[in-house]
């Protein structure tokens, strides 16, 4: 039976898309917030070491989150495309349903053993005696 499940109905697919969007959003927030604070404090001359040096690390983390989110979105787009292409392909050979016919043959009834071994009869003894070349007395 062909697999006709759609990627759109897949929970892991939507977790990937949602997580990627959250990563991009969080990265943009960190990057813009820290760079804005750093630029404004450096411009008015009130910048401290924490705002400048720690702000740079937070900005780099924001850029990394943006990159990871974009990679996740590209992967989700690739999975969606592959899923739609794979779903559109139909197999060239379709197996037909085979009807199974059960043939039951009657069992052969064996003759009882007592009937197959015939007891010697008086007629058989006379015919055996007639065919042998023994002198009769």
């Amino acid at each position: 039976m062909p697999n006709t499940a759609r990627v759109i109905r897949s929970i892991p697919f939507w977790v990937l898309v949602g997580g990627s969007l959250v990563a991009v959003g969080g990265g943009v927030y960190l990057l813009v917030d820290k760079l804005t604070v750093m630029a404004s404090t450096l411009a008015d001359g009130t910048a401290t070491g924490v705002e400048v040096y720690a702000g740079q690390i937070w900005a780099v983390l924001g850029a990394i989150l943006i990159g990871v989110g974009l990679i996740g979105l590209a992967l989700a787009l690739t999975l969606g495309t592959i899923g739609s292409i794979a779903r559109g392909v139909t197999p060239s050979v379709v197996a037909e349903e085979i009807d199974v016919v059960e043939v039951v043959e009657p069992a052969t009834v064996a003759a009882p053993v007592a009937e197959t071994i015939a007891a010697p009869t008086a007629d058989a003894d006379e015919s055996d005696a007639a065919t042998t070349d023994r002198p009769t007395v």
Side-chain angles (χ1 to χ4, degrees), residues 15-35:
V15 168
L16 176 63
V17 170
S20 298
L21 290 175
V22 167
V24 168
V28 167
Y29 172 75
L30 276 176
L31 185 63
V32 170
D33 181 50
K34 297 303 176 183
L35 287 180

Side-chain angles (χ1 to χ4, degrees), residues 7-101:
V7 176
I8 293 175
R9 295 183 181 180
S10 174
I11 292 175
F13 174 78
W14 287 111
V15 168
L16 176 63
V17 170
S20 298
L21 290 175
V22 167
V24 168
V28 167
Y29 172 75
L30 276 176
L31 185 63
V32 170
D33 181 50
K34 297 303 176 183
L35 287 180
T36 304
V37 167
M38 191 169 37
S40 66
T41 56
L42 284 173
D44 64 9
T46 62
T48 63
V50 173
E51 292 170 343
V52 174
Y53 297 114
Q56 290 176 6
I57 300 302
W58 283 106
V60 169
L61 178 64
I64 290 171
L65 286 175
I66 291 172
V68 167
L70 291 176
I71 290 172
L73 287 175
L75 181 61
L77 179 65
T78 303
L79 286 175
T81 304
I82 290 173
S84 67
I85 290 173
R87 190 174 42 110
V89 174
T90 57
S92 60
V93 178
V94 178
E96 296 179 10
E97 186 175 327
I98 300 173
D99 293 331
V100 177
V101 178

Side-chain angles (χ1 to χ4, degrees), residues 6 27 40 54 57-58 74 81 104-106 117 121 123 135:
R6 295 182 179 187
S40 66
I57 300 302
W58 283 106
T81 304
V104 179
E105 295 179 7
I117 301 174
T121 59
D123 295 334

